Amino acid sequence: MNSIDAWVWWLVVAAALGIPLVVTAMPEFGMFAVGAAAAAGTAGLGAGTVIQVLVFVVVSVALIAVVRPIANRHAAQRPQLATGVDALKGKQAVVLERVDGGADGRIKLAGEIWSARALDPDRAYEVGQEVDVVEIEGATAIVI
């Protein structure tokens, strides 16, 4: 019966750790997989079992200690690119039909016609005026 080299077993372990990485999206499994690949390299160079295990542990722990805080910092940052109605807030629009605090008027915003209402109920905006969008409520832009 042939014995399989230790480096092959370490590669099997690395591949096995890659499966939960893909399924669960937990990067720690990837770091353990890299540690197992490093141990496979160590085994391929002829190092003993104790050295292989130490390389696996040291590489895995080092990756978790270094990469995890960086990943957490990036995950905590809010994306700088606003999308959807959030991207419309702060944009300028042109009044197409009188806009006031009562009945909805019409504005042209980002190339589309929107219903609009004045933020200040005592304020009115006439056709052709430029207004700023401060909020979107449903399909109505709130403007100043």
Side-chain angles (χ1 to χ4, degrees):
M1 194 151 117
N2 291 340
S3 66
I4 298 178
D5 292 332
W7 67 270
V8 174
W9 284 114
W10 281 112
L11 289 178
V12 169
V13 169
L17 286 167
I19 293 169
L21 167 67
V22 172
V23 173
T24 65
M26 290 180 62
E28 290 82 3
F29 285 111
M31 295 173 209
F32 287 131
V34 171
T42 305
L45 294 174
T49 305
V50 173
I51 300 297
Q52 295 170 32
V53 171
L54 281 174
V55 166
F56 170 73
V57 170
V58 168
V59 169
S60 298
V61 170
L63 283 172
I64 288 174
V66 172
V67 174
R68 198 173 195 197
I70 294 169
N72 287 339
R73 265 196 313 268
H74 284 284
Q77 291 177 348
R78 186 172 179 172
Q80 300 297 321
L81 180 64
T83 59
V85 294
D86 290 331
L88 298 175
K89 295 176 188 175
K91 295 278 186 190
Q92 285 193 331
V94 176
V95 176
L96 299 177
E97 293 176 12
R98 180 184 161 97
V99 174
D100 56 32
D104 288 350
R106 299 275 181 257
I107 60 171
K108 187 165 192 170
L109 172 62
E112 298 179 344
I113 309 294
W114 282 74
S115 61
R117 186 173 62 247
L119 178 64
D120 181 358
D122 298 327
R123 185 79 196 261
Y125 303 97
E126 299 301 329
V127 175
Q129 276 187 284
E130 287 192 359
V131 292
D132 293 320
V133 176
V134 293
E135 188 66 51
I136 302 287
E137 290 181 359
T140 302
I142 310 301
V143 299
I144 54 172

